[in-house]
Amino acid sequence: MAFNKRIKIKVLLEKDHSGQKATVMGWVRTKRNNKNVAFIALNDGSSITNFQIVADPNLISDDILKRATTGACLKIEGTIVASQGSGQQTELNAEHIEVLGDADPEKYPLQPKKHSLEFLREIAHLRIRTNTFGAVFRVRHALAYAVHKYFNDKGFFYIHTPIITASDAEGAGETFKVTTLDLKNPPLTERGNIDFSQDFFERETNLTVSGQLEGELAAMGLAEIYTFGPTFRAENSNTTRHLAEFWMIEPEMAFYDAEDNQNLAEDFLKYVISYALENCKEDLEFLDKRAAEEENAKKADQRSEMGLLERLRFVVENEFQRLTYTEAIEILRNSNHNKKKKFQYLVENWGVDLQSEHERYLVEKHFKKPVILTDYPKDIKAFYMRQNEDGKTVAAMDILFPGIGEIVGGSQREERLELLTSRMEEMGIPAEEMWWYLDTRRFGSTPHAGFGLGFERLVQFVTGMGNIRDVIAFPRTPGHAEF
């Protein structure tokens, strides 16, 4: 006979099941006794809302009820009835309780009290059982589903690009090396360097920082593709914005120019955020309240002008403002913020890379809507971006959101072989190592474009979590590879 005949709590909450027999399973959040009856708040992860179990000691032995402590896992059979108390429509009158797993209240760290996010990061293996992280990871799931649904419905093909690669797409040089050589005694060349020709792949390899270049190859045959996979960067950074392992969404489209690329990115962002708003109402309402409490603890001048749900609707309901980098520099340079030296990094000359504070000023203070910045100086952008006719800028675009600044970076790609090879030469990128990439320009080249979106950055924006380590289940950061 099947052990699992359970009804999910989410299903029980969706409509009135009064009078029905039901089996529920989940973890005890709290237990209280009132007039010789035990009230157990049970959660099974399907919803942020707990389900109330009423346990009459005449039916359930005292030994079992003593074991129903916070964190314990129970299987409960009984009858759904209209609730006598406030706070819930229905509850379960328990007729039989089986303890599936005990949780010693002296040792279980998640007792019913407020825990700091720092403490919860130390017990990341258990933090998913809290309201905050349950909500975050249900929203993360919904966003991941929405990404696949959006591209599938538009006729894009999902490509799995390699995790082990010999190229560094961004030219950042901060990659994790992949090797099977004996680290204590590696083979050396005559010059005393490590001889990677004796390694597994017979060359130096690393974990990928981006699937873009391989994505471009696929787009040259399938026209519209997207990647959605893990990427890695060995940047020794302990900020709230950086992870060593993170997920990237990277669509690449043949027959798209820079404007097509901007249109797709704006439509995509509005779609996935709308999907979360429609399908994660309870979780987002909870996270909105949580974010408001966090904001209230900040100094007045550091508080966000918008609440979480307000920010999400702000993105969905506004047309994105489009302007060039050059226009943005003029706005920033002439702003009172700049003149009164309120920026940490003052904006003086054309050609500087914009900081998050500048991006947020444009979105939150100047335009009061999301911004697409285009046509950046070529000297601060990657080699593969299409050069504009002015010889100084490239057909790049960044999308800027309230609260976080840049969320998407992309460009029309350089499809002209001569201009691409000369740019690679300028930047010291060896053409012979990129022969396969250049082949797509040699044979049947066409205008094409794409963009990259860090998935955790998106989840952070939608959930309002201040630290990127709190939107991935088991964060990988310098000094931390636990769990």
Side-chain angles (χ1 to χ4, degrees):
M1 193 170 174
F3 166 75
N4 189 345
K5 289 187 173 180
R6 75 181 181 114
I7 299 178
K8 291 183 182 180
I9 287 172
K10 185 175 190 288
V11 174
L12 292 177
L13 294 168
E14 283 169 353
K15 64 177 185 178
D16 191 340
H17 292 265
S18 294
Q20 292 182 22
K21 294 280 185 186
T23 299
V24 293
M25 301 185 205
W27 294 270
V28 177
R29 286 290 172 84
T30 58
K31 182 184 75 175
R32 60 186 173 84
N33 294 306
N34 188 9
K35 296 177 183 174
N36 294 326
V37 175
F39 293 92
I40 298 167
L42 200 75
N43 192 285
D44 66 0
S46 63
S47 166
I48 195 161
T49 307
N50 301 326
F51 200 73
Q52 182 160 284
I53 311 298
V54 181
D56 184 337
N58 294 318
L59 294 174
I60 310 298
S61 76
D62 194 44
D63 286 347
I64 290 290
L65 288 176
K66 278 180 182 172
R67 291 169 65 194
T69 57
T70 294
C73 191
L74 308 180
K75 177 181 181 180
I76 303 163
E77 295 165 88
T79 305
I80 306 289
V81 296
S83 182
Q84 301 301 305
S86 61
Q88 62 279 321
Q89 282 188 307
T90 57
E91 58 197 17
L92 183 76
N93 279 346
E95 291 154 18
H96 179 262
I97 296 179
E98 180 184 346
V99 180
L100 300 177
D102 290 283
D104 185 340
E106 299 296 316
K107 295 177 182 175
Y108 183 60
L110 286 176
Q111 294 305 317
K113 65 172 185 176
K114 201 171 177 71
H115 298 284
S116 73
L117 295 175
E118 289 79 7
F119 170 71
L120 292 173
R121 269 175 230 133
E122 291 170 13
I123 54 164
H125 60 304
L126 296 172
R127 68 177 179 170
I128 295 172
R129 298 189 193 185
T130 65
N131 279 341
T132 296
F133 287 97
V136 165
F137 293 114
R138 280 187 295 270
V139 172
R140 183 180 169 114
H141 160 79
L143 288 168
Y145 176 76
V147 168
H148 287 298
K149 180 165 171 49
Y150 177 83
F151 285 119
N152 181 70
D153 290 355
K154 278 203 167 296
F156 279 59
F157 299 105
Y158 178 31
I159 295 292
H160 299 108
T161 52
I163 288 173
I164 299 171
T165 176
S167 66
D168 173 6
E170 298 295 326
E174 294 158 335
T175 58
F176 288 100
K177 304 302 177 196
V178 175
T179 182
T180 58
L181 294 176
D182 180 354
L183 297 182
K184 289 180 182 172
N185 187 27
L188 303 176
T189 63
E190 289 178 6
R191 292 187 176 181
N193 299 321
I194 293 176
D195 185 1
F196 286 103
S197 70
Q198 295 187 48
D199 206 348
F200 186 90
F201 293 106
E202 299 179 3
R203 63 187 301 176
E204 198 170 350
T205 53
N206 49 264
L207 296 179
T208 185
V209 296
S210 166
Q212 180 207 312
L213 301 186
E214 293 87 354
E216 281 188 55
L217 310 183
M220 287 296 130
L222 293 170
E224 293 171 327
I225 67 93
Y226 71 105
T227 76
F228 187 176
T231 51
F232 309 85
R233 187 156 293 174
E235 190 173 352
N236 192 10
S237 174
N238 272 304
T239 75
T240 57
R241 293 162 60 93
H242 290 97
L243 290 166
E245 177 183 293
F246 51 99
W247 286 66
M248 285 291 292
I249 299 153
E250 296 173 296
E252 291 290 328
M253 299 77 62
F255 322 123
Y256 271 54
D257 66 10
E259 190 177 349
D260 297 321
N261 200 30
Q262 293 161 35
N263 294 343
L264 182 79
E266 178 173 347
D267 187 57
F268 166 68
L269 285 167
K270 286 181 173 177
Y271 177 90
V272 294
I273 293 169
S274 296
Y275 185 90
L277 282 167
E278 287 165 23
N279 292 278
C280 305
K281 285 191 178 75
E282 284 188 333
D283 287 324
L284 289 176
E285 281 166 10
F286 170 83
L287 291 166
D288 182 55
K289 285 179 191 151
R290 192 206 144 273
E293 286 172 17
E294 207 171 64
E295 285 295 315
N296 289 336
K298 294 179 182 175
K299 292 178 184 171
D301 63 339
Q302 293 175 351
R303 287 177 196 161
S304 174
E305 290 181 16
M306 289 182 275
L308 173 61
L309 288 170
E310 203 181 343
R311 274 201 303 275
L312 300 182
R313 293 190 188 106
F314 170 87
V315 168
V316 170
E317 292 165 8
N318 280 296
E319 288 296 309
F320 292 12
Q321 179 71 41
R322 302 184 188 193
L323 71 156
T324 66
Y325 165 91
T326 303
E327 290 165 335
I329 286 289
E330 282 306 301
I331 290 167
L332 292 165
R333 193 158 45 192
N334 295 322
S335 67
N336 285 332
H337 225 70
N338 199 52
K339 288 174 181 172
K340 292 179 179 176
K341 301 192 172 176
K342 288 186 178 176
F343 285 133
Q344 188 182 343
Y345 297 92
L346 294 180
V347 179
E348 292 168 354
N349 301 316
W350 188 93
V352 297
D353 211 349
L354 297 184
Q355 302 295 322
S356 181
E357 59 176 341
H358 306 137
E359 295 167 343
R360 289 184 61 183
Y361 176 86
L362 291 168
V363 174
E364 295 165 34
K365 301 276 193 271
H366 189 81
F367 290 110
K368 294 191 173 6
K369 57 172 71 172
V371 167
I372 304 182
L373 272 191
T374 66
D375 303 305
Y376 280 77
K378 70 175 185 179
D379 291 341
I380 58 171
K381 289 296 181 182
F383 75 92
Y384 48 72
M385 297 191 177
R386 192 180 203 274
Q387 296 172 57
N388 291 330
E389 301 307 314
D390 60 14
K392 296 194 302 179
T393 61
V394 288
M397 68 134 181
D398 283 353
I399 299 184
L400 316 179
F401 269 14
I404 58 168
E406 183 202 335
I407 192 161
V408 160
S411 73
Q412 186 173 340
R413 313 310 189 192
E414 183 56 83
E415 85 278 11
R416 297 162 295 186
L417 180 62
E418 300 76 18
L419 287 168
L420 181 58
T421 48
S422 67
R423 185 76 183 119
M424 288 169 69
E425 202 174 309
E426 278 174 32
M427 297 180 73
I429 296 166
E432 61 274 11
E433 286 184 19
M434 301 288 287
W435 62 271
W436 45 272
Y437 185 70
L438 295 172
D439 263 3
T440 58
R441 276 67 173 177
R442 288 191 185 100
F443 311 121
S445 188
T446 185
H448 62 290
F451 62 83
L453 166 65
F455 186 53
E456 282 72 25
R457 189 72 64 86
L458 173 68
V459 180
Q460 214 182 340
F461 178 74
V462 174
T463 59
M465 300 302 285
N467 194 319
I468 202 162
R469 300 173 192 208
D470 295 330
V471 297
I472 190 167
F474 307 106
R476 298 293 180 247
T477 54
H480 294 91
E482 196 81 72
F483 314 115

